[in-house]
């Protein structure tokens, strides 16, 4: 009995000091959010869940030296590998429960106190206070910290509880309402050569009310908790090219007209960052014309980035230049004039879609899964001439 008591005390002490809480604990009070998270890229960020990340890591030169530096963003919940990196010891992503089930866990993101801006990559600053988490209400911050307590009304005749009996909630951290808390991992990345291999190039306009949270975690139906009921909650599946891209359609505008007798297509990006920022992506604008019962398909227009070194295509870690690039910038309106003459009665379908991995790059990386090498439609619209 004494031994059991000692083990229990030791376990509680570890829980209080290590700052790690399994997402399975969160699931008990946040079942809807937990279900959304299970289909998200945060849950599938490790090499054991993401074939693309695994394929890149298999060719990365740091694999031989045992330095999985990707962990800071791809598997930060794995405290063992994070500590090994900090101690400059061998750190390789072992196939364990955290890597498989919660490489970027609920508690990790809700402990992000602030973001340090750095040239190579930003850094998440965590609050180490046990059972203390940040959140926002409907995308807005409130300068208050809520601990579990009992409230009474009608001279004490009616009583109800507020807050969570399992943790304290701070609603005053503005990083959780303006989207800054996402920028520790989702802003930019430079390789050891100092070359920016990926950058969102965020350009927030004065009129814009969008941010990472409002676009990628919009309010959807369902209570965020079983304890404190609400009509809506922030979507924790994280909308993007992998998951629920349909939620992003409203930021893309397509238009087809005749300019000087030729077909002209205008594409407008309403987002505060460039589209398809990852260098492995390939986006395409596809145009089909229905005429006299037949379909005419025009040559697709590609949007891409090809990284290079010594004038040849290169992997991200060795790249020092951009060989070719055609991207859609923040708030940009692109006009694409086609060498095609439309006729009266033509039905023109314009489709903007993408490949998770450029098929050519997929071949070099050995990625064969169809989910990543199949064209996916983002938005499609028909115009009648």
């Amino acid at each position: 009995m004494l031994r059991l008591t000692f083990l229990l005390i030791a376990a509680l002490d570890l829980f209080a000091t290590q700052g790690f809480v399994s997402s399975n604990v969160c699931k008990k009070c946040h079942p809807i959010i937990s279900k959304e998270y299970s289909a998200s890229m945060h849950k599938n960020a490790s090499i054991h869940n993401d074939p693309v990340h695994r394929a890149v890591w298999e060719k990365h030169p740091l694999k031989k030296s045992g330095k999985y530096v990707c962990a800071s963003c791809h598997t930060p919940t794995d405290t063992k590998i994070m500590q090994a990196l900090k101690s400059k010891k061998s750190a390789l992503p072992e196939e364990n429960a955290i890597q498989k089930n919660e490489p970027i866990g609920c508690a990790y993101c809700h402990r992000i106190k602030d973001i340090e801006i750095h040239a190579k990559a930003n850094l998440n600053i965590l609050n180490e206070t046990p059972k203390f988490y940040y959140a926002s209400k409907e995308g807005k911050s409130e300068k208050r910290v809520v601990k579990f307590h009992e409230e009474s009304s009608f001279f004490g005749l009616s009583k109800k509880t507020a807050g969570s009996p399992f943790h304290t909630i701070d609603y005053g951290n503005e990083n959780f309402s303006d989207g800054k808390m996402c920028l520790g991992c989702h802003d930019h990345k430079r390789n050891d050569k100092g070359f920016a291999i990926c950058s969102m190039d965020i350009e927030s306009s004065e009129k814009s009310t969008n941010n990472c949270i409002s676009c990628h975690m919009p309010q959807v139906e369902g209570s965020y908790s079983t304890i404190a009921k609400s009509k809506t909650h922030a979507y924790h599946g994280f909308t993007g090219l992998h998951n629920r891209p349909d939620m992003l359609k409203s930021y893309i505008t397509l238009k087809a007209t005749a300019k000087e007798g030729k077909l002209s297509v205008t594409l407008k990006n309403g987002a505060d960052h460039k589209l398809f920022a990852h260098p492995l992506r390939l986006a395409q604008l596809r145009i089909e014309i229905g005429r006299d019962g037949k379909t005419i398909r025009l040559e697709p227009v590609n949007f891409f980035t090809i990284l290079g070194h010594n004038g040849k295509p290169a992997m991200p870690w060795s790249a020092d230049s951009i060989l070719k690039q055609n991207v859609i910038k923040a708030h940009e309106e692109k006009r694409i004039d086609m060498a095609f003459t439309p006729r009266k009665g033509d039905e023109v379908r314009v489709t903007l879609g993408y490949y998770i991995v450029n098929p050519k790059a997929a071949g070099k990386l050995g990625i064969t899964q169809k989910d990543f090498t199949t064209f996916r439609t983002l938005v499609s619209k028909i115009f009648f001439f």
Side-chain angles (χ1 to χ4, degrees):
M1 183 65 182
L2 181 62
R3 176 177 171 78
L4 180 61
T5 303
F6 174 80
L7 290 173
L8 178 60
I9 292 173
L12 290 173
D13 182 63
L14 178 63
F15 178 82
T17 57
Q18 72 173 349
F20 168 74
V21 177
S22 171
S23 298
N24 286 328
V25 174
C26 310
K27 182 178 181 179
K28 297 173 183 178
C29 296
H30 306 280
I32 296 177
I33 286 176
S34 179
K35 184 177 180 181
E36 292 170 349
Y37 165 79
S38 66
S40 74
M41 282 308 295
H42 279 198
K43 189 267 183 185
N44 294 300
S46 73
I47 67 166
H48 305 292
N49 297 341
D50 182 5
V52 178
H53 181 42
R54 181 172 64 248
V56 173
W57 171 244
E58 288 296 326
K59 292 185 178 296
H60 203 294
L62 287 179
K63 182 184 178 183
K64 293 182 179 179
S65 56
K67 295 180 181 179
Y68 181 61
V69 294
C70 315
S72 59
C73 282
H74 279 267
T75 62
T77 305
D78 193 337
T79 53
K80 180 181 177 181
I81 195 171
M82 292 297 290
Q83 187 57 46
L85 284 172
K86 188 179 293 186
S87 303
K88 297 183 178 180
K89 296 179 181 178
S90 178
L92 292 172
E94 300 173 359
E95 188 171 357
N96 55 38
I98 294 177
Q99 291 274 339
K100 289 289 291 182
N101 301 320
E102 49 183 330
I104 307 173
C106 305
Y108 176 81
C109 286
H110 284 276
R111 288 167 52 216
I112 298 176
K113 182 179 181 180
D114 204 357
I115 306 299
E116 278 189 2
I117 307 300
H118 295 275
K120 189 172 183 179
N122 294 341
L123 179 67
N124 292 329
I125 305 301
L126 304 182
N127 186 328
E128 299 295 345
T129 304
K131 300 183 182 181
F132 188 101
Y133 302 117
Y134 300 104
S136 67
K137 280 202 169 183
E138 297 184 356
K140 298 178 181 179
S141 61
E142 300 176 0
K143 292 190 179 300
R144 64 193 186 106
V145 176
V146 180
K147 295 183 179 181
F148 183 69
H149 63 283
E150 190 174 70
E151 297 177 343
S152 62
S153 57
F154 296 107
F155 304 99
L157 296 177
S158 176
K159 295 183 179 181
K160 65 177 183 179
T161 59
S164 169
F166 303 104
H167 56 76
T168 298
I169 311 170
D170 183 351
Y171 290 107
N173 189 335
E174 293 185 357
N175 295 325
F176 279 70
S177 58
D178 64 14
K180 185 181 176 183
M181 57 90 65
C182 303
L183 301 183
C185 291
H186 293 283
D187 186 53
H188 68 277
K189 172 67 177 177
R190 292 178 182 272
N191 60 17
D192 289 340
K193 298 175 181 291
F195 177 72
I197 57 176
C198 185
S199 176
M200 296 304 295
D201 293 336
I202 298 174
E203 297 178 7
S204 184
S205 66
E206 294 181 1
K207 296 181 180 179
S208 176
T209 57
N210 301 328
N211 59 52
C212 306
I213 303 295
S214 61
C215 292
H216 296 278
M217 298 182 68
Q219 291 292 311
V220 294
E221 290 185 2
S223 180
Y224 71 87
S225 170
T226 57
I227 296 176
K229 300 291 184 180
S230 64
K231 292 183 179 179
T232 63
H233 67 278
Y235 179 67
H236 280 65
F238 310 104
T239 65
L241 300 186
H242 285 272
N243 189 31
R244 296 300 301 274
D246 56 295
M247 288 186 172
L248 304 178
K249 288 181 180 179
S250 60
Y251 301 99
I252 307 296
T253 303
L254 298 175
K255 188 177 181 180
T257 58
K259 297 286 186 181
E260 300 178 355
K262 298 295 183 181
L263 179 64
S264 180
V265 174
T266 302
L267 188 163
K268 185 176 181 180
N269 172 22
D272 288 343
H273 58 75
K274 66 183 178 185
L275 297 181
F276 317 108
H278 197 292
L280 286 179
R281 306 282 186 258
L282 171 64
Q284 282 188 343
L285 187 70
R286 295 184 174 186
I287 302 171
E288 296 180 343
I289 297 93
R291 176 184 292 176
D292 300 330
K294 297 180 180 180
T295 300
I296 303 171
R297 293 182 175 84
L298 305 186
E299 188 72 22
V301 178
N302 294 325
F303 302 99
F304 58 90
T305 296
I306 299 179
L307 303 178
H309 177 65
N310 290 335
K312 296 181 179 180
M315 288 293 182
W317 52 84
S318 60
D320 56 13
S321 61
I322 294 177
L323 292 186
K324 295 180 181 180
Q325 188 176 63
N326 179 25
V327 296
I328 308 166
K329 299 177 182 178
H331 306 293
E332 182 179 13
E333 183 172 289
K334 276 184 176 288
R335 174 180 159 182
I336 301 145
D337 295 323
M338 311 298 296
F340 180 84
T341 303
R343 295 179 187 173
K344 186 177 180 180
D346 280 353
E347 182 179 297
V348 179
R349 178 183 290 276
V350 180
T351 300
L352 178 66
Y354 59 95
Y355 296 88
I356 291 293
V357 181
N358 186 320
K360 290 185 178 179
K364 293 180 180 180
L365 289 168
I367 299 171
T368 58
Q369 292 89 338
K370 290 185 178 180
D371 283 350
F372 304 107
T373 57
T374 298
F375 181 80
R376 303 182 182 193
T377 297
L378 182 60
V379 60
S380 187
K381 191 171 182 180
I382 297 176
F383 301 90
F384 298 94
F385 281 73

